[in-house]
Amino acid sequence: MRDIRRTSRRIDPKTLHRLPLAAAVCMACAAPAWAQDAQTPPAPSTPETRARTLDTVTVTAQKRVENLQKVPISIQAIGNAQLEQQQVADFDDYAKMIPSLSYGTAGGGVFSGPGFVQVYMRGVASGGDGNHSGSKPSVGMYLDEQPITTNQGALDIHMYDIERVEALAGPQGTLYGASSQAGTVKIITNKPDPSGFAAGYGIEGTSIKDGGIGHIFEGFANLPINSNAAVRLVGWQKYDAGYVDNVRGTRTFPTSGITIDNANRADDDYNDAETMGARAALKVDLNDNWSIMPQIMGQKMVASGSTGYDPSVGDLKVKHFYNESSKDRWNQAALTVEGKIGNFDLVYAFSRLTRNVDSESDYNDYGFWYDTLAGYGAYFYNDAGELINPSQYIQARDGYRMTSHELRLTSPAENRLRLVAGVFWQEQKHDIHQRYRVDDLASVLSVSGYEDTIWLTEQDRKDRDEAVFGELTFDITDKLSVTGGGRWFRANNSLRGYFGFAEGYSSQSSLDPAFRYGEAGCRARYGDPSNWVKYEGAPCENFDKTVKEDGSLGRFNITYDISDTKLVYATWSEGYRPGGINRRGTLPPYLSDFLTNYEVGWKTTWADNRLSFNGAIFREDWKDFQFAYLGQNGLTEIRNAGQARIDGIEVDLNWAVNYNLTITGGFAWYDAKLTETYCGFTDLSGNAISVCPPGTINPQTGDPVDGPQAESGTRLPLTPEFKGSLIGRYTWDAGQYEPYFQASVFHQGDRITDFRAAEHALMGDLDAYTIVDLSGGVKRGSWSLDVFVKNVFDKRTELTRFAQCATLTCGNQPYTVSTPPRTIGVRFSREF
């Protein structure tokens, strides 16, 4: 989708008295032409005869500035004007506008509020809960030149003073690396401009049906220092009102007969969030060839409640008994240096991201269902030997540190032979602390040093990536060009620390010492507790594992320019994710997975640049794909699951119908399915096993299995077969005012929650939905007033579904995450 703006301007009535003089000047300067046409003066311009054309949209998808219509990649760009027209504030606002993009939120045993987004593209999604120590994301997120993707998901950037969003579908492995296996999303900010002062602000108020009142305050200022330097400052404060109620209720545990009450937690509209943030950038043009731009951005979000609701309790309702909250604080320092070496462009990009998340989660369902189905409550007692309430709640702290460097050279765009080449280095650290607490738990059942803690995770994860990359393009003729590219990478991923129970709760004496964990693992590894060495406060370090790998990725493209406004292309490309270590350290590591893409596409412009029609048809083969799920004790387990294939088509349309009306839209259709049976286990080296008739022995446990968990041909989860959007905007002139009306329709088809047959039957399907947004307003000069309604018909959109342990035990109580109910808003903005 593209930024569409007026190309004609209205005459201010205050300047009419100057028209005779202006006309005389024009006649004097253009006398020959005027003389020739004196007998046939042109017809006066009217709204019906004035033409609207599509703006030229520039993108940086291939690490150089290019016209979108000349880039042989399936890419959608949403410009500044359309971001404002759609009242885009956060990720979910623009995600619905991009057919190739889908997403979910973290669920299970972690806080499931805002700020935890799992991004997918082109159906490359296997499911999973997005818990920590999971697979790396398959979609890379960038803020300008710097990556902003942490292991648990991307930063949810507040979308203000943004130049454009670029969504690159398909593997971008050669130029963007490991976390761009299925695609890349780039958020491009407005840069400091020394040519003149500019400033603006926006004020927005919203009201959610049967929910609370929200608001946004935001502003920017572009401050020139001199002719070669400027500062740009941006700030925002946002309050997202709640709409999920935590209703009053009780719960009785069958083993002990203990009844608990949530009277002190019940509250209406309790899933609210407040966000504050700022961005500051300084750009200095050192000379005609070199510039430097340091930038710092930070944001703090304090959220409570859960965006997931429990249909068994009621519409947009839950019945929770413990505190649920999150405090997410992050900042990113970035530096971009641009210059020339000879006639080559050089770019150096550095970033340092720090993110700290403190969260609390209600984990009561886990205790209740295990007690109901397995007598779980009999194992929980106090120091007096009395049975206690076995409810659990989680207190977690996650600390992320990510540092990246990229240095690249780009040859002149006008050369027949063009090169992009560079080096990349990145290191991510994740400090993980999670306490699963049970109030009044006996000391012998509590992890040493952690009162009332039935389970402790104290781990440090480190992921290091190094790469050399390059792409070379050659124009065989003025119409035919070929591109070949590669990326040579090396990855080193490690996980170490402590996980597990106290020794008094589970001695695990029957297990092989290599498979013992918790304090039982400490004893197996170090002997008597007097020999244990604490690990960051935990009883000991009970595992330390590392995975190292290296390899290469490739890309080949051939492009044919039919004319200046039409091209077709064919692409073969590869993407990958590195392997890693399971949070449950006794499990084998998981292996890398690879995605191979075969694609043909077209970029076309018609009707004197009033209509663009772009699209792509592709097939993607996903080899040994990583599958994350909640396993024993509610821990994330990651295994390689064999093979899958995604066939699809993507189309987008931009049409300037006339001076008043513009239409933009797009759709994507996907057929994503397993091409190999999933047995649910691997061999001892981590390779997926796809032949497992009933009675087959699982080599990791020695137990027989009942047969495969999913047959070949099973649909992949989370991605719809069809997703599309259509936006129409009508503007007209009314004196000095420019009113408008806009209607937007977004549709997403049904999806499955899990490709495993038993879990799918338990969790069910996510229903298809269609959302309609309406807006209208008026603009005059530098100010504008907008009134909008999102989700006009108040649809319940089933974005994702999760349970606190997605097994036959806890899956009896799944939660559904939906977009907010109907929201009415008013916005006033002004620029200077």
Side-chain angles (χ1 to χ4, degrees), residues 135 148 223 226 234 246 288 335-336 400 460 544 552 577 717 758:
S135 301
I148 55 170
L223 308 172
N226 54 41
V234 185
N246 189 20
D288 291 342
L335 175 67
T336 304
Y400 304 88
D460 288 292
D544 182 357
S552 62
R577 283 186 299 180

Side-chain angles (χ1 to χ4, degrees), residues 500-579:
F501 301 106
E503 191 173 16
Y505 179 76
S506 176
S507 67
Q508 305 165 17
S509 57
S510 62
L511 295 177
D512 185 289
F515 293 96
R516 297 177 191 174
Y517 54 94
E519 293 189 16
C522 296
R523 182 176 291 278
R525 193 169 190 176
Y526 303 108
D528 188 85
S530 62
N531 297 323
W532 299 359
V533 178
K534 289 185 177 294
Y535 182 82
E536 297 186 5
C540 77
E541 179 188 289
N542 58 23
F543 82 103
D544 182 357
K545 292 187 176 182
T546 300
V547 170
K548 297 181 180 180
E549 59 185 329
D550 56 67
S552 62
L553 301 170
R555 176 177 180 261
F556 181 79
N557 172 275
I558 183 168
T559 302
Y560 181 74
D561 291 316
I562 301 172
S563 68
D564 289 341
T565 59
K566 299 171 181 64
L567 67 82
V568 293
Y569 68 87
T571 295
W572 167 85
S573 58
E574 293 181 306
Y576 99 111
R577 283 186 299 180

Side-chain angles (χ1 to χ4, degrees), residues 6 47-48 50-53 610 655-662 729-731:
R6 291 182 182 269
E48 288 73 22
R50 283 177 285 179
R52 181 197 294 267
T53 60
R610 292 172 52 203
W655 185 17
V657 180
N658 54 40
Y659 178 77
N660 302 100
L661 178 63
T662 58
R729 185 178 180 89
Y730 187 86
T731 62

Side-chain angles (χ1 to χ4, degrees), residues 6 9-14 84 199-201 729 732-740 777-786 828-832:
R6 291 182 182 269
R9 298 184 63 183
R10 186 175 56 251
I11 298 176
D12 190 331
K14 295 181 180 180
E84 293 180 355
Y201 65 88
R729 185 178 180 89
W732 68 97
D733 295 329
Q736 297 181 356
Y737 297 90
E738 185 180 342
Y740 80 91
V778 62
K779 181 177 182 179
R780 178 184 176 183
S782 63
W783 64 263
S784 61
L785 179 67
D786 304 273
F828 177 83
S829 58
R830 187 177 182 184
E831 295 190 2
F832 304 93

Side-chain angles (χ1 to χ4, degrees), residues 15 138 175 217 285 290 334 418 453 466 475 513 538 546 588 611 699 724 760:
T15 66
S138 63
L175 292 183
F217 302 124
D285 295 325
W290 288 87
R418 300 180 294 281
T453 301
E466 302 166 349
D475 296 334
T546 300
L611 173 68
H760 178 210

